[in-house]
Structures are given as structure tokens and as C-alpha cells.
Amino acid sequence: MKRTLVPMLLAAVLTATVMSAQAKESPDPDAKKNEEAKSDEKGHFKPEATKTTGTVTVEGKRVEYDAICGTLVVHPKGWDDAAPAPDKEAKGGEEEDHGNPTAEASMFYAAYFKRGVEADKRPITFLFNGGPGSATVWLHMGAFGPRRVVTADDTHTPAAPYQVINNDYSLLDASDLVFIDAPATGFSRVAGKDKEKAFFGVDPDAHAFAEFVTAFLSKYGRWNSPKYIFGESYGTPRSAILVNLLENDYAVDINGVIMLSQILNFDLSVDGPESNPGVDNPYVVGLPTYAATAWYHHKLPGKAPADLKSLLAEVETFATGDYAHALGKGAELSDADRNAIAEKLHQYTGLPVSYILKADLRIDGGEFEKNLQDDTGTTTGRLDSRFSGPTLDPLSKESEYDPQSAAISSAYVSAFNEYVRKTLNYGKDKTYRPFYEVWRDWDLKHRQPGSYGGSDGVCNTMPDLAMAMKQNPGLKVLLTGGYYDLATPFYEGWYEMHHLQIPASLQKNIEYHYYESGHMVYAHQASLKAIHDDVAGFIGSTDNVK
């Protein structure tokens, strides 16, 4: 998979005692009538839904649930539900929009509701992956759905048949779950005039999710439930905008936001920072992950520390101290200091001193992935640097694919396609798109809170999260990440949270947890249990249920 975070993040995206999640078709008597009704007979889409029931055993506790797969129709900003419907009989065959946008999106969801619980006493969590352009198959089949696919821990998972088992760490013990596919991904679709402009962009995308969330709350009567947002990868900047939109444009307070593999300020990305000279922070926040990766692959010179966390604490101090100071001096850095910093970087990364000096002390993510194990013709993983794979071009400057993505994608996509059709009874004649190339039309401009126009610079949604936390001082945030994530290094998220424009008193509302895994933390079984317990604990402590 190519590196595309524009720089875009393609998010992905274990054997335990098995107790199968038993699911059977159970038609909802009201669903058929409601879902077959067209939102508008001249619209592009109509909502759909199918219902099944099942059970999952989470850490020894049995949970019975209803599962509903379906779509909701959402419209772009500026759409007026009281305006006349588009006239498809207009002259020339062009739709007459009567001032309304004609583009719309059909957004797919898979929702799981615990049976026998009152709605206002049961939290509900909206979950999505990122990309942008990624469906939410990864969180669904790897993290918190009732069933999960088994993949190899840090090597290529063998081809089918894949094993899909009861998820001992489904989040259904703590919250109802709604997995959402972004417009054009998964089973979601877009249509109408200027549909790309209407949905493919930082702000249009967040607006679509806000419309989806509020429509879902109305449809399923969940307005008085404790509410949570869970975003992974690009889903984290989306979450920052979404929580601010919900609070300020829709008057919907959220109990908590859960960030996995965070990047809010794209100026901090280790992917291609050389195109933004003078901004050296990406090299600083990426260094701890370089060190963790070199430690994992036994590439550190001399005797490596036995404890990863003590190594990382040492590297973080160096990164934000001597290293940041040296980079800040630029051309004024003396040769002696330059050589001393290069030697220290060699000790923490395993890369040759000569290479580090040639790189002017600045190694980006792709260069590190290509060169760490270059002596064996091996490329290091990006989403999860525990993974390795054969180098595609030995003469290339940087890595040209991600070994972790290549290692597990087939398992996730195959397992979900089987599960959604045979167990959830949805999508028999539909195509599921795990990825969609929205980045070709993606608008990176973002209108930050209080501004009057979109920024032409690199997207930064830190002000959105800060605004949401100030508008709702009770909002809690949980930041999670993996030490081996080279797509969104864990220290990058820590740095962002400690630079939010919020009062010092609100910093206590942010909780941090890190794991010995990568971007998709849940792809490592021990980390899956840990993140489940941390997220479930976070929800239990913030749901305001007496």
C-alpha cells in the first residue's frame, strides 16, 4: 500500500477460548415498513436495514445483542429539508435543484445493541477508521465487534481459510456500538452533482458524520444515552471536528472522545517533512518510535536496554532537548555538535553515522523504514514496525509499501465479506470497498473555530478539540496509541495534547494509554485486551449513569 496521507493516513487498517457468537435472522416487524419508505422518491438513495440477533462472551461474561446493518441518507452542508425535491424531468435532462445541493450520501453502519437495557442507561459509541478513504472493517473485525479475525502477530498471515472467532474483548460489555463507513467507502456511496466536492474534504466529511450521528440518535431513540466518539488514524482529526460540530452546531454534548493513533496537526507527520523545510518537529516526535523499532529488531548498537519504557523515556528527553535544540540551530550548528548528535542518533536508531550526517540529522519515516534493516534486503513496516517484508527496490530511497498492511489486509477484508453476508444478512448483492481513492479529490482546507474561511495550509484540528473541551468542560478525552506506529508516532499525539490551547485545569480531562503494538493496536492480542480494558474503564467512569 502506497504512503498516502496527503500526506494521508490509510488506516487500516490470537487464539483464545472460543465461544461462537450465535447470530440468526430475526426480522424487526417495524423495520421493513420503515426502511422501505423512500426518504424522497426523487432522491438517489433510500435507507435500508436488516436485523439479526447474537451473543458474545466478553472476558467470561455473556452479552446478548441485536445487530442492525443498514444505511442512512445524509446531505451536504446547506441542504434544506423543506425545499422542493430535485426535478429530474427538467429541460435538457439536468436535475433542477431549486437551490438545494443534489448530492447525497448513503452511509453504511453496523450497530450492536445490548438487549434488555434502557437506552438512557446504556452508553453508545460511534466508531470509524480513517484514511481518508478507509472503511471501518478494521475496528469492526479486529478490535471491538462481537467477532474478530485471527491474524499472525508480526508476520504475514497465511491465505484463506481465515479463522473468525468470538471476540473475548468486544466493547459490547461496556457500550452499544455503531461502526460507520465514510462516504464512498465500504457499503457507503455518494451520488449527485458535484458529489466529490460535497463529501470529499476535511470539513464536508465531518459535516456528513455529524448529520449521520444526529439522524441515528433520532432513528433509534438514543438522544438521552451517554455518547462517545471513537476515531482511529484520520478518524482522530475527524473526531476533533465532529465533537466540536456536535456541541456547537447541533447542541449535542459528548461524554467522551477516544483517539487511537492520533494526528491532529499534519505539520507533525513524519511522512515527507522535507517538503516543509524549517519545521523540524516531525523528526523530534518520530524519534521515540524509531528507537522502539530499532530495539524490537535488535538493531541498537551495543547492549540494548532490557526495558522498552525506560529507553523511551531517555529518548524523549533527548528528542525534546539536545536534538530539538540542534535542529533549531540549523546552519549555525558546529561540526563538533553535529557529529555528537549524529552519534547519539546512531545509538538510538541503529542507522549508520555517515547516513545520519548525509541526511543532515533529519530522517523521515519512509527513509527509516527502508534503511533500518537494509543490510538484509528487508523493509520495516509503517503501520506496525514490528512487521518486516522483502524490499521491493534495493536502490530506492524510502520504503515503497507497508509490510504490515500486506500481511493482514486480506484476512480482514475476506473475513468481513463473509461475516456481513452470512451472519449479519446484509450486502449479498453489493460490493464492499475497504478503500476508496477519495484523496484524488480531497479538499484539505479546514475552517477552524472562529475563522472566516478555510486555511490553505496544512490541516490542523487541534483548535477544534480545544474549543470543544472549553465549551464543554466535562468532556473527557482518552488518547491511545502503539509504540511501533510509524504512520502516527505515539509521541506525536502526546505532543499535540500538551500543546492544546486549553486552560491548564482541563489537562486533567485527558487520559493516556500506550501499548507494545502498532497503528492498529488491536492486531496484537495482549494489546487488544489492554485497550479493551482501558476503553471500557474510561466509558464506565464518564457515562454519568447513576
Side-chain angles (χ1 to χ4, degrees):
M1 189 184 305
K2 294 281 188 181
R3 329 170 59 77
T4 55
L5 211 134
V6 206
M8 305 244 169
L9 302 174
L10 283 174
V13 205
L14 323 171
T15 306
T17 302
V18 176
M19 182 167 188
S20 297
Q22 300 171 343
K24 59 182 179 179
E25 186 176 352
S26 176
D28 181 348
D30 296 322
K32 185 174 182 180
K33 178 177 68 176
N34 292 339
E35 299 306 332
E36 287 183 352
K38 295 182 179 181
S39 56
D40 188 290
E41 65 178 9
K42 290 181 179 289
H44 299 283
F45 302 110
K46 62 179 181 180
E48 303 174 340
T50 61
K51 181 179 177 182
T52 56
T53 63
T55 63
V56 61
T57 300
V58 182
E59 296 188 326
K61 297 180 181 179
R62 179 183 173 93
V63 179
E64 296 183 351
Y65 61 82
D66 293 328
I68 300 178
C69 282
T71 57
L72 291 177
V73 179
V74 301
H75 299 89
K77 190 171 184 178
W79 188 81
D80 180 3
D81 62 358
D87 183 4
K88 294 186 178 180
E89 307 300 324
K91 292 181 180 180
E94 294 292 331
E95 293 183 11
E96 175 60 49
D97 61 15
H98 299 288
N100 243 353
T102 63
E104 62 183 29
S106 173
M107 292 182 65
F108 172 76
Y109 62 91
Y112 297 93
F113 303 130
K114 184 178 180 180
R115 306 186 78 178
V117 184
E118 296 178 40
D120 61 355
K121 292 182 172 60
R122 177 68 170 167
I124 187 166
T125 303
F126 297 92
L127 306 96
F128 37 81
N129 282 102
S134 173
T136 303
V137 57
W138 321 102
L139 283 171
H140 195 162
M141 296 304 294
F144 297 131
R147 306 279 283 170
R148 70 175 177 88
V149 61
V150 177
T151 56
D153 187 50
D154 63 358
T155 58
H156 198 106
T157 299
Y162 302 107
Q163 187 180 9
V164 178
I165 64 173
N166 175 84
N167 188 0
D168 293 340
Y169 310 112
S170 170
L171 200 56
L172 265 169
D173 62 333
S175 173
D176 289 343
L177 307 174
V178 187
F179 298 94
I180 311 167
D181 285 344
T185 74
F187 287 126
S188 297
R189 296 293 184 266
V190 295
K193 183 180 179 182
D194 296 327
K195 60 183 182 293
E196 294 84 5
K197 182 178 179 180
F199 296 105
F200 296 170
V202 175
D203 289 349
D205 169 88
H207 174 82
F209 272 82
E211 289 286 300
F212 176 93
V213 168
T214 52
F216 190 95
L217 296 175
S218 294
K219 179 176 178 60
Y220 291 104
R222 302 305 296 264
W223 280 95
N224 206 34
S225 298
K227 305 171 192 68
Y228 295 84
I229 295 169
F230 189 115
E232 178 182 356
S233 191
Y234 181 80
T236 60
R238 176 188 290 144
S239 295
I241 305 172
L242 175 58
V243 67
N244 189 56
L245 279 178
L246 289 173
E247 287 185 5
N248 289 291
D249 289 9
Y250 296 82
V252 179
D253 276 357
I254 301 298
N255 294 63
V257 178
I258 303 152
M259 306 283 202
L260 172 58
S261 305
Q262 175 177 299
I263 178 170
L264 303 185
N265 180 358
F266 283 55
D267 255 335
L268 294 174
S269 174
V270 295
D271 288 326
E274 63 272 10
S275 65
N276 194 17
V279 177
D280 290 321
N281 279 332
Y283 307 104
V284 172
V285 299
L287 185 60
T289 300
Y290 293 174
T293 304
W295 179 87
Y296 186 85
H297 291 288
H298 308 290
K299 288 295 184 179
L300 294 178
K303 185 177 180 180
D307 179 58
L308 174 61
K309 292 183 181 178
S310 62
L311 169 66
L312 292 177
E314 180 182 325
V315 175
E316 289 164 13
T317 299
F318 168 74
T320 56
D322 291 347
Y323 185 41
H325 179 70
L327 295 179
K329 293 194 74 171
E332 291 189 344
L333 186 66
S334 69
D335 289 343
D337 288 343
R338 186 182 305 276
N339 289 330
I341 293 295
E343 178 60 35
K344 201 71 173 177
L345 290 172
H346 167 65
Q347 295 297 320
Y348 288 145
T349 67
L351 297 177
V353 171
S354 59
Y355 178 82
I356 295 169
L357 288 171
K358 187 182 293 185
D360 195 24
L361 310 180
R362 296 162 174 84
I363 298 98
D364 72 19
E367 293 165 348
F368 179 80
E369 294 151 24
K370 165 63 167 58
N371 288 282
L372 178 65
Q373 303 180 80
D374 200 37
D375 57 338
T376 60
T378 301
T379 290
T380 304
R382 174 175 177 260
L383 293 176
D384 192 329
S385 61
R386 297 176 304 137
F387 285 73
S388 301
T391 296
L392 299 187
D393 180 2
L395 298 178
S396 64
K397 176 184 176 183
E398 60 181 18
S399 65
E400 297 181 300
Y401 79 117
D402 179 17
Q404 196 241 19
S405 182
I408 67 173
S409 293
S410 175
Y412 276 78
V413 173
S414 300
F416 180 78
N417 273 284
E418 186 90 349
Y419 168 70
V420 71
R421 291 172 171 83
K422 291 188 176 180
T423 302
L424 299 182
N425 195 33
Y426 186 89
K428 181 180 179 181
D429 299 317
K430 301 178 185 292
T431 298
Y432 190 80
R433 298 171 175 167
F435 305 105
Y436 189 78
E437 293 184 345
V438 301
W439 57 269
R440 295 182 182 276
D441 300 289
W442 196 261
D443 184 358
L444 278 168
K445 293 186 180 69
H446 170 50
R447 181 175 178 179
Q448 295 177 341
S451 68
Y452 294 97
S455 169
D456 289 327
V458 173
C459 177
N460 186 347
T461 66
M462 290 170 61
D464 299 79
L465 181 59
M467 178 65 76
M469 294 181 71
K470 287 183 283 191
Q471 292 277 3
N472 173 15
L475 176 65
K476 301 299 193 296
V477 179
L478 173 61
L479 173 57
T480 62
Y483 292 127
Y484 302 113
D485 178 5
L486 279 169
T488 57
F490 75 94
Y491 199 60
E492 173 187 294
W494 186 95
Y495 184 93
E496 290 171 341
M497 289 303 198
H498 285 80
H499 288 79
L500 287 179
Q501 296 169 309
I502 57 176
S505 60
L506 290 182
Q507 281 288 336
K508 70 179 185 302
N509 288 2
I510 307 173
E511 186 178 332
Y512 303 84
H513 290 282
Y514 299 108
Y515 314 92
E516 293 191 29
S517 188
H519 193 73
M520 301 163 66
V521 160
Y522 42 87
H524 175 53
Q525 185 172 345
S527 297
L528 170 60
K529 171 178 169 45
I531 193 173
H532 163 270
D533 294 349
D534 291 334
V535 174
F538 175 77
I539 292 173
S541 67
T542 57
D543 63 10
N544 297 329
V545 175
K546 307 299 182 183

